[in-house]
Amino acid sequence: MPDDRIDLHQEGGNPDPPDPAAPAAPASGVAQKDTAQRTGPPSEPRARSSLRERFRLARSPVALIRDRFDGMAPVSRFGFLTAGVALAAVLPVLMPHITADPAYWTSVLTKVGIAALLALGLNVVVGFAGLLDLGYVAFFAVGAYTFAILSGASRYAIALTRSDPNAFKLLPTWHMYSWLFFFAALAVALVAGVILGAPTLRLRGDYLAIVTLGFGEIVRITADNLTSVTDGSQGIPQIPHPALTVGPVHYNFGLNDAAYYWLLLGVIVVWILLLRRINASRIGRAWAAIREDELAAASMGVPTIRIKLLAFAMGAAVASFAGVIYASEYAFIDPGTFQLFSSDFGSVIILAMVVLGGMGGIAGPILGAGLVIFLPERFRFLGDARFLIFGAVLVIVMVLRPQGILPSRRRAAELEGGVKDTSVFEAQQHGG
Amino acid sequence: MRSKTTVLRVVTLVALVAIVGAACSKSPSASSKKTVKIAEFGAFTGPVAQLVIPGYQGAKLAFDQANAGKFGALPVTIQFTQEDTTGSGTVIPPIAKKVSQDPSFIGVVGPNFSGESLAGGPIFNSAGIPFVTASATKTAINQNHWAFWFRANGNDDEQGPAGGDYIAKILKPNCAFVTSDDSPYGTALAGTVQTTITNDGGTVQAQINAVQTSNGSVHPTDFSALVTKIQTSGCKAVYYGGYDAEAGLLRTQMTSAGLTDVTLVGGDGIEDTTYATEAKASGEATVATCPCGDITKSTSPDAQAFVKDYTAKWGVAPGIYSGEYYDVARLYINAIKAGNITRTAIKNYLVKVNYVGLTKTYSFQDNHELVPSDVKIFYWKDVNQTFTYLGESSQVLAAG
Amino acid sequence: MAVASEQQVGIRRPRIPSAAFGWGGAAALVALLLFFGIRHHVCPSNASAWVSFTITGLRLGFLYAMIALGYTMVYGVLQLLNFAHSEIFMVGSFAGLYAFKTLFGITNANHPNGIGGIYLAVVLAVGLLVAALASGGAAVIMERLAYRPLRRHGASRLAYLITAIGASLFLSNLFYLLDGHSHLGLPFNWPRIAGASPVDYPQVMKKVIVFRIAKVPIDSQTILIVAVAIAMLVVLDLFIRRTRAGKGIRAVAEDPETASLMGVNINGIVVMTFFVGGLMAGAAGLLYGMFFTQALFSMGFVPGIKAFTAAVLGGIGNVRGAVLGGILLGLIENLGVACTGTQWQSVIAFLVLVGVLMFRPTGLLGEQVGG
């Protein structure tokens, strides 16, 4: 950050620490070095050893598993990952055996899947490239609305609202080519990401935050008022469910949540694999460089605007994909879904998932998404009070573990080992 | 040091397992007596809950009376549950699926609002569970041709014209300013009113969607810009499609901006004590249309008994849609009493039903709307900060 | 200083001619749009409508300015986007309401036409004081409980942002639940302070028409809002420029490390900043509640977002910028809807913000506390 002011956030008066990188699989030597550093005895808390301090520094059980995981041979690591995905995949099948409300919890599971995809997408923007985006839900909305419009559902909805007696003739149906709409929505979101990003990405962090917040509101209000295209606040019902025809087999996703869950799982796995490759590539290093010191990166010849734009566009594409799946599963969208503070997928809630879970990694945002969606559903019986608790939990978790529950290795190392030394150390390790 | 950290880890792990485990534990069903469940879908929390709770209380009263044997012996016990949608189309699908897949649920009361009806309808319908609303009035819902959906009340095509006709034929202003919030309910109603006034030969300036409530989750308090727009239009009548809380403030701010001679007209969303208490003296002479009659003014002994029982049970007088949802509950109770305890049987019963309820006669057309002659729209007028009953719309219009 | 060093290190900043060109172009575009709007009867052509929108805009603008100060000062000192500031504003509104109701026993029933004379001045002064102190106190408590631990741990900015969002959710939902019923399975009823529905503000001061501009009535409450806002803004400006504490705030905003080396008590300055920001928001809360006749748990959301926008528009961290940004935003929002619908209010505000940031990436006046 081109800022000569000293950041008070650091007690020692250090500049903002570099946001976590997830050095997914850089040179394996570096990875092992990281691991060795982490599996050693946790550094003694310097300040004091109150319980709170220990909680702050404690590594969660999942982090322990991850440490083991990193120490494994590539083959067993692959096996382990496959087993994890397989376990996630059979969850809907196991549902009837672990709960009395399988349909409900499968539905919640799909919601978690959508949230996890969104969180992983926002993580690229916030965690990898270090850009604060408070209007991320806009791209989710763009995806959902593009799909609703292309599939003909909005035309049907407008006819309904106008009480057109022939409206039912416009009832949209699913064709094989409708799968293309998924990618059309992705393209539209990419364009939207570039349109928003190109003029605004030269702005510094917090200015970008308010501009993106504004963009999110503009998209929502436009969807609310452009009644001739989106049917406004009436919302768009009857968005067709996807169907798949392979030879003689015909399968309609219909209201079967498990099918959407598997679709999401597939998309998430592909996205994670892609992300790990990208993050280990030039682009990933460029993101890390920009995040840590934009000026230095620029002077080293990193095309900062283009690289930031890439992060923005990738985030937008992922969000639009989530939006399309959401629209086709719920079969109904309205502008209210895309509010800033909407308790499900609002921009700040997605950001909370990412930060709560731990930025910059892959497990962190997924965990964050799981908690932020699951807990309010679990405590639904508390009624209105659950948002009071949610707010308090956000504050308490952040106070106790500012790095998030499951931060990327690098961030944890930074916070455990003293900021200054580690970042210098890391910088040397990665060597530019 | 190290051991303490380990303890902490174990505690965290145990806590996580406990939470997940608690979520997944099966609740024991130890009842030996046959019980069927009926769920009401509505906003029980959130800023629009006050439009749902009186209706719920009416239905709950009916089911409690039924279980106590007031309507004769029932083959089963009815358990009436609340499902809180907060009025949102995003929240309803998981809950709708939960209820639909649970075979002990044989019917649904609601959803209360139009947006959530559109979002939840496909789920209920494909699960084949009857769902009867008395307050989701968007006309277009009936175009879905859902076999299991029933609307036990009029729709905006009946209420909207009544509002428009009142402005065009009774108030006869120089022009009417038609505005609304951004709810599916408000915009649809205002749209119909605009058409009606134009068809009646009146002049309309429309600004639909003007009040941004983010589908009910935000309550705006600053109406200055809208008031200035109304002022600039010079119209002497304003139609507001939307809910009580905003309408009350709009009225107050219109009056304090000097628009004392402008009459506000609204729909059933403002026909509520919230509006009257909020607008205070400035609300005087506001007119509201409602497909709800005043149950407390009814002279029929059944209605008077209902008002007495309701007040005894809940400690307040019946509110908006209390009587209508009591009737919906009675439809279910009658179906069950006749031995229909499966979803399809209840649906088949409702298709053929002809029941004289507290508020109107219930018999459904092919599209599962009420027979039009059964639907009555009533005018209400704010006099001394309470809505007083003006009469049934056709009579008031005929009297001029 | 920040701006100067940015130039040194070579961040691209447009030179004045291009900015002037941009502003000129924008002004010409607006003038052209207005001309065609009025000609085609899209925009109102009578002067009184424009005057009316201007007055509405100014009134709102001064309120935005007062709230924006809290955002901007906290940002200047901590670089924290304090999302919970909108709830601090809400707390002030409720505090003022109960000051009127309980301290003076004024209700709509016993004073339907408000009060007058010296008594009115006393009541208003005490009400403003209570509201301001309550908000200031709430802001300080929030700093102590939520932000200071983070500061001690050297958390990232995002951790602050999420904490602020959490605090905001907590406060607004707390007031939502303070409705006199039992919640969370606790065996007692929560105090009845706010709740789901709005609480009526007692009409302390009747809105009487004082004078007219182009037939547009200017009421007494509008004058009160503008007068109180101007007085408080002037006092704040003097405080920041002239007093020792103000210098401390400026020093910490400029360079906390050097400031602490020079013997400035950083914690004290941070608390002071939150407190002063809270004071302004509390006073704004009372005026807002009084003018719009009610207080509600979620009332802070819209003005909060707008004031935040105003602070950025003026140059976040810059006190005078926040005032300028607030007033401009209020005006733009209201004049902007003259030719469109009120539903586009926020869209217009945000588009103007983006437009301004294109030409001036650090807001209209740049970003320094104290200018």
Side-chain angles (χ1 to χ4, degrees), chain C residues 77-316:
Chain C
V77 170
L78 280 181
Q79 273 101 68
L80 156 68
L81 299 178
N82 185 9
F83 257 98
H85 191 62
S86 53
E87 267 55 58
I88 298 295
F89 162 81
M90 178 266 296
V91 169
S93 198
F94 275 104
L97 189 153
Y98 284 103
F100 289 152
K101 267 192 183 166
T102 54
L103 289 185
F104 299 102
I106 299 168
T107 61
N108 279 316
N110 61 17
H111 291 90
N113 287 322
I115 48 178
I118 299 290
Y119 187 45
L120 173 66
V122 172
V123 168
L124 277 179
V126 173
L128 278 170
L129 193 70
V130 170
L133 286 178
S135 282
V140 169
I141 293 172
M142 192 171 70
E143 195 274 333
R144 189 72 195 80
L145 291 182
Y147 299 139
R148 191 173 298 178
L150 282 178
R151 210 142 48 80
R152 200 182 292 139
H153 294 160
S156 73
R157 283 184 186 187
L158 275 167
Y160 275 79
L161 186 68
I162 300 299
T163 309
I165 290 166
S168 166
L169 277 174
F170 179 83
L171 269 176
S172 66
N173 280 292
L174 179 69
F175 274 71
Y176 179 91
L177 293 178
L178 289 174
D179 57 357
H181 296 290
S182 163
H183 294 288
L184 282 175
L186 297 176
F188 53 88
N189 285 344
W190 294 36
R192 188 186 170 85
I193 293 175
S197 32
V199 181
D200 274 339
Y201 237 83
Q203 200 180 16
V204 173
M205 184 178 180
K206 195 173 164 56
K207 275 181 198 156
V208 286
I209 293 163
V210 181
F211 60 93
R212 287 169 190 270
I213 304 174
K215 287 190 246 165
V216 177
I218 314 289
D219 65 76
S220 49
Q221 286 201 13
T222 302
I223 294 172
L224 176 77
I225 288 174
V226 173
V228 172
I230 291 179
M232 289 191 72
L233 295 175
V234 169
V235 170
L236 182 81
D237 200 57
L238 289 175
F239 168 77
I240 290 202
R241 276 161 197 283
R242 299 284 163 80
T243 65
R244 216 180 140 74
K247 279 182 189 149
I249 292 179
R250 274 157 60 206
V252 173
E254 203 68 66
D255 186 342
E257 200 179 25
T258 314
S260 76
L261 288 176
M262 303 293 278
V264 176
N265 173 3
I266 299 225
N267 274 339
I269 290 297
V270 170
V271 168
M272 169 76 74
T273 310
F274 271 90
F275 183 68
V276 173
L279 287 184
M280 305 294 284
L286 178 133
L287 295 173
Y288 194 93
M290 205 166 85
F291 190 84
F292 297 119
T293 67
Q294 55 179 231
L296 178 66
F297 75 100
S298 65
M299 67 184 291
F301 179 71
V302 173
I305 294 272
K306 293 293 167 56
F308 180 24
T309 310
V312 175
L313 188 67
I316 192 158

Side-chain angles (χ1 to χ4, degrees), chain A residues 132-267:
Chain A
L132 182 47
D133 185 348
L134 285 181
Y136 191 63
V137 76
F139 300 115
F140 183 61
V142 165
Y145 267 105
T146 308
F147 182 73
I149 291 166
L150 288 180
S151 67
S154 74
R155 203 161 52 120
Y156 168 71
I158 292 164
L160 271 189
T161 300
R162 292 192 182 139
S163 296
D164 181 344
N166 292 321
F168 65 93
K169 287 184 190 157
L170 297 173
L171 190 69
T173 49
W174 182 272
H175 304 281
M176 262 319 267
Y177 63 76
S178 302
W179 286 105
L180 291 178
F181 298 158
F182 276 60
F183 299 95
L186 198 138
V188 173
L190 271 176
V191 172
V194 172
I195 288 176
L196 167 67
T200 54
L201 280 176
R202 67 188 69 230
L203 296 174
R204 263 193 30 208
D206 298 317
Y207 289 90
L208 184 66
I210 183 76
V211 169
T212 48
L213 187 153
F215 177 71
E217 287 292 280
I218 288 175
V219 167
R220 181 183 64 77
I221 297 171
T222 308
D224 202 3
N225 290 301
L226 218 58
T227 43
S228 56
V229 181
T230 63
D231 202 25
S233 59
Q234 305 283 322
I236 305 178
Q238 303 283 14
I239 300 169
H241 299 296
L244 205 55
T245 310
V246 184
V249 184
H250 181 79
Y251 181 71
N252 191 328
F253 280 52
L255 292 169
N256 182 7
D257 285 312
Y260 297 94
Y261 174 73
W262 286 318
L263 178 65
L264 279 163
L265 195 66
V267 175

Side-chain angles (χ1 to χ4, degrees), chain B residues 193-243:
Chain B
V193 167
Q194 186 186 351
T195 323
T196 311
I197 300 177
T198 316
N199 290 346
D200 287 350
T203 322
V204 178
Q205 291 203 22
Q207 216 196 78
I208 291 169
N209 239 11
V211 176
Q212 297 281 303
T213 61
S214 296
N215 296 24
S217 63
V218 175
H219 170 56
T221 47
D222 174 10
F223 294 88
S224 329
L226 184 58
V227 169
T228 311
K229 286 238 150 191
I230 295 171
Q231 220 162 13
T232 312
S233 77
C235 294
K236 294 295 171 202
V238 173
Y239 187 88
Y240 180 74
Y243 296 110

Side-chain angles (χ1 to χ4, degrees), chain B residues 259-308:
Chain B
L259 297 173
T260 43
D261 56 342
V262 177
T263 313
L264 186 75
V265 181
D268 54 343
I270 75 169
E271 195 272 295
D272 188 65
T273 45
T274 309
Y275 174 82
T277 50
E278 209 168 73
K280 295 189 260 314
S282 61
E284 197 73 15
T286 299
V287 174
T289 58
C290 189
C292 50
D294 184 359
I295 192 88
T296 58
K297 298 274 163 56
S298 173
T299 50
S300 94
D302 281 351
Q304 284 172 350
F306 164 75
V307 174
K308 199 168 132 263

Side-chain angles (χ1 to χ4, degrees), chain A residues 98 225 233-234 255 257 384, chain B residues 24 97 126 138 182 187 209:
Chain A
I98 45 180
N225 290 301
S233 59
Q234 305 283 322
L255 292 169
D257 285 312
D384 284 324
Chain B
C24 303
K97 282 173 190 163
S126 74
K138 179 175 173 168
D182 61 353
T187 46
N209 239 11

